[in-house]
Structures are given as C-alpha cells and as structure tokens.
Amino acid sequence: MSQVLLETLLATPFVSRIGVQLEQKGTELTGVLPFTDTLVGNPLIPALHGGAVGAFLEVVASASLLVSQPMARLPRPIDVAIDYLRPARAQDVYARAIVARSGRRVANVRVEAWQGRTEAPVATLHGHFLITPEGADSAS
C-alpha cells in the first residue's frame, strides 16, 4: 500500500509540476529537485524560491515516512519549521530525511537539503506528521 501512496504523492499536481524525483538505494531515500527556470524566486542572484524549496522538503519528509513503514494513507503535516540557511542557487537541490520517531499517530522527521556539499545545507525542515500505519485502527 505504501508504494501506491508514494506514487500518489509524486503524481499530485504541484509535486509533479516542480519535478520532484526520488532515488532509493537500500533503505536510504534521496530527494532531487531538478533546477528549472520556473523555480527561480530571485532572478538577481538567481536563487530558488523559498516556497519551492520548502515544499520539496515536505515531500521528502512524507516520502521517507512512506518508505520507512507501511501506511494506510498519506502523512499529513501537523507542524513544520523550515530554516533557510543560505540561498539555493540555480542548480539541482538534494535532500535526505531522518525519521527521528514514528509512533502510532505522530512521526517526527528532520530533513536537510543541500547543493554540491552535504556539509553545507541550504535549508532544513523539522516537522511532526499525522500518520496512520497500516493495520492501525482508523477510528481512534
């Protein structure tokens, strides 16, 4: 079921419009936001729009939850905090998530995005997501 949900997530209009891609090697999932001119928010630098970077981080967080355990439905954000650490330049952005804790209803996820060097992140996300693990009683 989680594979179907992952495909559903990637097929949503906004996610497919910005072109998010996922690469999975073993248990490690890396998100890729390929650069396109439509993602530029500040043409003077040029830098990617913060909204596109933030949405990308949220997609990677949700996808990581779907890959980490079987889910009955897509994770829903409860609260998300994004730190923009440096401008995301006009090039591809990569991100990886760590599921810090995943309970019966809530999961805690951290995501780092970078360009070029993993040790120089351009943005980070820390969020709590409402989850419904497969087999969990959906009435509670």
Side-chain angles (χ1 to χ4, degrees):
M1 179 67 152
S2 287
Q3 183 62 33
V4 172
L5 291 174
L6 190 58
E7 291 169 7
T8 301
L9 174 68
L10 293 174
T12 58
F14 182 74
V15 174
S16 60
R17 170 94 167 117
I18 65 173
V20 175
Q21 300 170 4
L22 300 173
E23 299 173 356
Q24 188 172 1
K25 293 181 182 164
T27 59
E28 187 174 85
L29 182 74
T30 302
V32 181
L33 179 63
F35 172 74
T36 65
D37 288 332
T38 59
L39 297 178
V40 173
N42 184 345
L44 299 176
I45 297 177
L48 301 184
H49 192 283
V53 173
F56 169 60
L57 293 173
E58 190 174 316
V59 169
V60 172
S62 294
S64 293
L65 285 167
L66 291 170
V67 168
S68 71
Q69 64 183 329
M71 298 273 182
R73 61 178 59 118
L74 288 172
R76 294 185 294 176
I78 297 170
D79 71 353
V80 171
I82 299 173
D83 293 319
Y84 297 95
L85 306 172
R86 53 184 52 86
R89 303 290 179 171
Q91 59 189 30
D92 294 354
V93 182
Y94 302 90
R96 281 199 194 114
I98 295 171
V99 178
R101 183 181 189 287
S102 184
R104 290 186 313 170
R105 294 188 180 111
V106 177
N108 180 299
V109 183
R110 291 187 302 261
V111 183
E112 279 196 354
W114 72 91
Q115 294 177 307
R117 299 180 316 144
T118 57
E119 59 276 356
V122 295
T124 60
L125 173 144
H126 182 182
H128 296 92
F129 291 79
L130 182 63
I131 60 170
T132 307
E134 215 168 72
D137 183 15
S138 58
S140 59

